[in-house]
């Protein structure tokens, strides 16, 4: 077996990280439901970190991640490093490990700082009367605009992938997670910007607030921003539920 391991200079030694991963199945505190990827919490030098064990890839991806593409673990580590260099919030990357066998990638892990925050964007969608809702949504829109201005296309820009922390002065800090699908550009077009926001909420009133705030920062009319963003949002929702209905039918026929 061949392994590839890289760790950040922010930690004193890689020995503990490697030990955590070696005993991953029998140690650590489970975080989340572990439906696809398993995340566990560990204590490192008095700080809480989390280690994500990515789902074992199928045969095609095993080969692809060995010869043609970077693994999700490696991309998560590298993209987090780039985000921090660009001044965008994300948990501090700590390490990644890839294990390869004769076929290809066997398993992979990504370790990062574990942040305790107040909410995610999802709460704004699911709880319309969440305290300070309008202010958080507008600050989040400005954060998304900053991403776009810096040429960052966060492909998984969806409700659960932005952690939000409230500061004492009433401002909010935003941290991106689940980073393995990102693209970096010299600039983003208007269409790219609007498409990038389409997965966040199906609620028209929230889209209207976001359009209003984005229009304060971008040289386009509020109406044009709203019409474009709502079209992409509606198209995404229709596609999402179409896939969901199809999966339900396939499960029925399998029974």
């Amino acid at each position: 077996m061949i392994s590839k391991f890289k760790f950040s200079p922010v930690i004193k030694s890689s020995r503990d990280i490697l030990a955590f991963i070696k005993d991953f199945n029998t140690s650590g505190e489970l975080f989340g439901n572990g439906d696809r990827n398993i995340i566990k919490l560990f204590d490192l030098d008095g700080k809480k970190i989390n280690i994500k064990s990515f789902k074992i890839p199928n045969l095609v991806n095993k080969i692809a991640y060995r010869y043609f593409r970077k693994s999700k673990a490696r991309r998560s580590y590298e993209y987090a490093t780039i985000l921090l260099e660009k001044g965008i919030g994300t948990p501090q990357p700590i390490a990644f490990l890839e294990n390869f066998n004769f076929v290809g990638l066997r398993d992979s892990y990504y370790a990062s700082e574990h942040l305790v925050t107040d909410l995610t964007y999802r709460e704004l969608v699911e709880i319309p009367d969440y305290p300070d809702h309008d202010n958080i949504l507008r600050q989040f829109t400005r954060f998304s605009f900053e991403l776009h201005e810096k040429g960052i296309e966060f492909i998984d820009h969806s409700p659960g992938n932005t952690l939000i922390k409230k500061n004492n002065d009433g401002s909010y800090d935003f941290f991106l997670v689940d980073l393995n699908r990102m693209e970096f550009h010299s600039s983003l077009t208007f269409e790219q910007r609007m498409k990038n926001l389409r997965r966040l909420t199906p609620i028209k009133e929230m889209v209207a607030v976001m359009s209003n705030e984005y229009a304060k920062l971008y040289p386009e009319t509020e109406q044009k921003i709203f019409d474009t963003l709502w079209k992409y949002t509606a198209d995404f929702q229709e596609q999402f539920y179409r896939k969901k209905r199809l999966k339900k039918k396939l499960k029925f026929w399998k029974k």
Side-chain angles (χ1 to χ4, degrees), residues 147-148 150-157 181-185 188 192 195-196 198:
L147 292 179
H148 297 162
K150 292 180 176 180
I152 300 167
E153 184 182 3
F154 182 31
I155 297 171
D156 286 327
H157 204 22
R181 295 207 305 157
M182 306 194 86
E183 291 186 12
F184 300 92
H185 309 269
L188 287 173
Q192 286 175 312
K195 281 184 180 178
N196 186 237
R198 72 191 187 279

Side-chain angles (χ1 to χ4, degrees), residues 20 34 48 60 69 83 87 118 146 168 182 187 213 226 239:
F20 294 153
K48 190 79 74 176
V60 173
R69 297 180 63 200
L83 289 179
D118 299 292
E146 182 184 4
N168 293 331
M182 306 194 86
S187 62
E213 194 63 31
F226 173 79
Q239 184 182 33

Side-chain angles (χ1 to χ4, degrees), residues 4-249:
K4 181 163 187 177
F5 176 70
K6 184 173 183 178
F7 67 97
S8 169
V10 300
I11 63 172
K12 299 173 183 176
S13 170
S14 62
R15 193 175 304 159
D16 288 337
I17 300 292
L18 290 169
F20 294 153
I21 293 175
K22 181 181 178 182
D23 299 327
F24 188 83
N25 292 333
T26 57
S27 63
E29 176 189 347
L30 186 65
F31 182 76
N33 54 30
D35 283 347
R36 295 181 60 198
N37 307 308
I38 299 173
I39 299 175
K40 287 190 173 182
L41 306 182
F42 298 85
D43 290 315
L44 177 68
D45 298 329
K47 293 183 179 180
K48 190 79 74 176
I49 69 166
N50 72 52
I51 299 178
K52 177 185 284 189
S53 171
F54 287 91
K55 182 180 178 181
I56 295 175
N58 59 37
L59 179 59
V60 173
N61 283 335
K62 281 178 183 288
I63 298 170
Y65 289 144
R66 176 68 188 273
Y67 300 104
F68 307 108
R69 297 180 63 200
K70 296 177 181 180
S71 72
K72 292 181 178 180
R74 180 176 175 179
R75 278 181 277 150
S76 297
Y77 179 89
E78 292 181 351
Y79 293 167
T81 303
I82 293 171
L83 289 179
L84 291 179
E85 288 173 351
K86 290 179 175 289
I88 299 298
T90 193
Q92 175 70 49
I94 292 174
F96 77 87
L97 173 70
E98 302 165 318
N99 289 319
F100 300 94
N101 57 22
F102 68 96
V103 175
L105 181 68
R106 193 188 73 172
D107 52 6
S108 60
Y109 303 84
Y110 171 57
S112 64
E113 169 192 17
H114 182 70
L115 292 180
V116 177
T117 54
D118 299 292
L119 70 153
T120 68
Y121 182 95
R122 189 182 303 281
E123 276 75 14
L124 300 181
V125 179
E126 297 179 349
I127 310 172
D129 59 349
Y130 192 91
D132 211 18
H133 189 287
D134 184 81
N135 183 28
I136 301 172
L137 184 57
R138 289 180 182 278
Q139 289 195 37
F140 171 82
T141 303
R142 293 198 290 272
F143 169 71
S144 294
F145 175 80
E146 182 184 4
L147 292 179
H148 297 162
E149 285 293 285
K150 292 180 176 180
I152 300 167
E153 184 182 3
F154 182 31
I155 297 171
D156 286 327
H157 204 22
S158 55
N161 289 343
T162 300
L163 310 181
I164 306 174
K165 187 173 184 178
K166 185 176 182 179
N167 298 312
N168 293 331
D169 62 359
S171 64
Y172 294 85
D173 290 330
F174 302 89
F175 305 88
L176 300 183
V177 295
D178 202 0
L179 305 179
N180 63 83
R181 295 207 305 157
M182 306 194 86
E183 291 186 12
F184 300 92
H185 309 269
S186 57
S187 62
L188 287 173
T189 66
F190 175 66
E191 299 291 329
Q192 286 175 312
R193 291 164 183 252
M194 296 301 100
K195 281 184 180 178
N196 186 237
L197 301 174
R198 72 191 187 279
R199 302 178 61 178
L200 288 163
T201 177
I203 300 172
K204 203 168 191 176
E205 291 78 8
M206 290 182 67
V207 173
V209 171
M210 293 177 68
S211 300
N212 175 265
E213 194 63 31
Y214 207 98
K216 296 175 183 177
L217 306 165
Y218 190 77
E220 189 55 86
T221 66
E222 180 180 342
Q223 190 63 52
K224 174 74 175 294
I225 291 173
F226 173 79
D227 290 343
T228 307
L229 178 52
W230 181 245
K231 178 187 180 301
Y232 284 135
T233 298
D235 289 347
F236 172 78
Q237 291 297 321
E238 182 182 349
Q239 184 182 33
F240 175 80
Y241 284 105
R242 190 188 305 131
K243 285 183 180 177
K244 206 170 184 180
R245 289 192 296 269
L246 181 60
K247 284 182 181 179
K248 196 173 181 181
K249 287 180 181 178

